[in-house]
């Protein structure tokens, strides 16, 4: 099977973007910390990345590895990808126009504006923003930076897997849980590990895009309703990631919105970590029992994003 990216490609990408991204920390905890039976639990704190999510890796990969025209770049996003592209464009001193749907959170819209991008809000879902961005590409000639179905995006997200495996805290994980939206993150990570570690996807019950694609054998439209709709609810997974998932993703579990909120609350109450719903979804897979580790299994979880106003530090209140 011919896959979109290789380990050598990922390593080369990491060398190109590592000066622009943050090597995010890894923390070792225990299932017992969250009221579960004891087992080793490793959290990759990618929500501490520049612009608040893993998307910054893919954004820089696009801007560093592709030729950017003078008119700049354009992206469609539920919010995190837009913030990441806006941040990368600001750092690279190129113009950026970001299209987001009305479902995008205030925190993500605020981030995009703070990075100086030209922001356009319209339509109900990510697919509407994508359609509008494609029209802008035709009009302007701007470089489109796709949120997940772009080779450079996959390569950038894959560097998270490289970092995790090469860290002192998590070199020998048995299983790694990764939230799924369009599939760029899990596709990249799965390509890096290439079967050395069991990769499990976690999706909201209201947005089972990878579940539907694996069942159909191709990307197909799925429902797109969830508390995590601004990050985990495109209509379908990407064409490039699906062969990777078919080869290296060992399973997908579904979690309820209530389980996602419970995982957010558990991160805050146990570790004082703030994650957005999509960022906490992978942990929800473990805490809800959707994925049950075996005795002694070494489990890793990616905490992927933190662009939320769930905690308000406004001193004026």
């Amino acid at each position: 099977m011919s896959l979109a990216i290789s380990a050598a490609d990922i390593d080369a990408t990491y060398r190109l973007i590592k000066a622009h991204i943050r090597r995010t920390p890894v923390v070792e905890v225990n299932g017992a910390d969250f009221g579960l039976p004891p087992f080793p639990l490793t959290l990759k704190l990618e929500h501490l990345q520049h612009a608040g999510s893993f998307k910054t890796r893919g954004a820089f990969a696009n801007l560093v590895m592709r030729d950017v025209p003078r008119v700049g770049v354009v992206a469609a996003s539920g919010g995190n990808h837009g913030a990441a592209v806006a941040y990368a464009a600001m750092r690279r001193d190129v113009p950026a126009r970001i299209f987001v749907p009305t479902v995008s959170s205030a925190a993500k819209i605020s981030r995009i504006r703070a990075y100086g991008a030209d922001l356009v809000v319209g339509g109900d879902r990510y697919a509407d923003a994508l359609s509008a961005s494609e029209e802008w590409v035709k009009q302007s000639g701007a470089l489109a930076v796709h949120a997940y179905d772009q080779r450079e995006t996959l390569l950038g997200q894959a560097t998270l897997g490289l970092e995790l495996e090469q860290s002192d805290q998590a070199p020998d994980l048995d299983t790694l849980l990764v939230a799924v939206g369009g599939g760029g993150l899990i596709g990249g990570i799965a390509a890096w590990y290439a079967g050395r570690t069991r990769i499990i996807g976690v999706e909201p019950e209201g947005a089972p895009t990878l579940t539907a694609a694996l069942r159909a054998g191709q990307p197909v439209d799925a429902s797109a309703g969830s508390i995590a709709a601004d990050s985990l609810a495109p209509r379908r997974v990407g064409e490039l990631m699906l062969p990777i998932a078919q080869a290296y993703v060992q399973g997908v579990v579904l979690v309820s919105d209530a389980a996602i909120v419970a995982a957010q609350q558990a991160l805050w109450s146990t570790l004082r970590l703030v994650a957005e719903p999509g960022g906490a979804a992978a942990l929800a897979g473990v805490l809800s029992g959707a994925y049950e580790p075996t005795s002694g299994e070494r489990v890793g979880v990616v905490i992927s994003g933190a662009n939320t106003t769930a905690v308000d530090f406004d001193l004026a209140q």
Side-chain angles (χ1 to χ4, degrees):
M1 180 182 298
S2 177
L3 303 181
I5 58 178
S6 68
D9 297 328
I10 298 164
D11 184 71
T13 300
Y14 188 64
R15 285 186 272 110
L16 286 173
I17 70 170
K18 66 180 180 179
H20 305 289
I21 62 172
R22 187 173 285 149
R23 188 179 182 95
T24 53
V26 175
V27 61
E28 294 180 349
V29 294
N30 194 288
D33 295 337
F34 296 96
L36 300 174
F39 65 93
L41 183 59
T42 298
L43 306 181
K44 174 65 167 170
L45 305 185
E46 186 64 13
H47 67 302
L48 301 180
Q49 186 57 257
H50 293 300
S53 84
F54 72 92
K55 295 284 191 177
T56 301
R57 296 172 183 270
F60 272 113
N62 275 275
L63 269 65
V64 170
M65 299 170 71
R66 301 170 69 192
D67 292 330
V68 179
R70 291 182 63 184
V71 70
V73 296
V74 60
S77 170
N80 280 339
H81 177 62
V85 172
Y87 174 81
M90 178 185 70
R91 291 300 184 195
R92 301 287 290 175
D93 196 27
V94 300
R97 175 171 285 201
I98 310 298
F99 291 83
V100 301
T102 56
V103 73
S104 294
S105 72
K108 294 175 182 179
I109 287 174
S110 177
R111 279 257 187 179
I112 295 168
R113 286 190 171 129
Y115 296 141
D118 181 11
L119 177 66
V120 181
V121 182
D124 295 330
R125 289 290 184 265
Y126 167 76
D128 301 315
L130 179 61
S131 178
S133 74
E134 290 169 344
E135 284 301 315
W136 176 247
V137 170
K138 293 176 184 177
Q139 294 175 31
S140 69
L143 178 71
V145 181
H146 199 282
Y148 53 89
D149 203 18
Q150 174 74 37
R151 186 172 184 272
E152 289 79 8
T153 303
L154 274 170
L155 284 166
Q157 318 314 25
T159 65
L160 188 154
L162 179 156
E163 262 188 21
L164 183 57
E165 187 174 35
Q166 293 182 356
S167 70
D168 293 336
Q169 295 94 334
D172 297 311
L173 291 176
D174 296 311
T175 304
L176 180 62
L177 274 68
V178 184
V180 181
L185 180 60
I186 195 170
I189 289 174
W192 170 257
Y193 279 102
R196 294 188 301 278
T197 290
R198 183 184 303 110
I199 305 298
I200 301 294
V202 182
E203 297 186 300
E205 291 175 348
T209 52
L210 183 54
T211 299
L214 290 173
R215 184 181 299 124
Q218 62 184 3
V220 293
D221 285 352
S223 57
S226 167
I227 191 174
D230 62 344
S231 57
L232 300 183
R235 287 181 179 169
R236 56 173 62 193
V237 296
E239 298 277 353
L240 294 176
M241 70 79 57
L242 186 56
I244 300 171
Q246 290 169 325
Y248 297 130
V249 173
Q250 279 72 37
V252 183
V253 299
L254 301 178
V255 293
S256 68
D257 281 358
I260 292 173
V261 172
Q264 281 185 284
Q265 294 171 339
L267 278 170
W268 176 246
S269 63
T270 305
L271 297 171
R272 281 301 187 259
L273 296 177
V274 179
E276 65 185 87
L283 182 63
V286 177
L287 301 190
S288 69
Y291 182 81
E292 296 185 24
T294 59
S295 178
E297 184 177 348
R298 296 161 298 182
V299 178
V301 171
V302 178
I303 309 300
S304 55
N307 287 316
T308 176
T309 54
V311 177
D312 189 350
F313 294 107
D314 187 349
L315 297 180
Q317 291 186 354

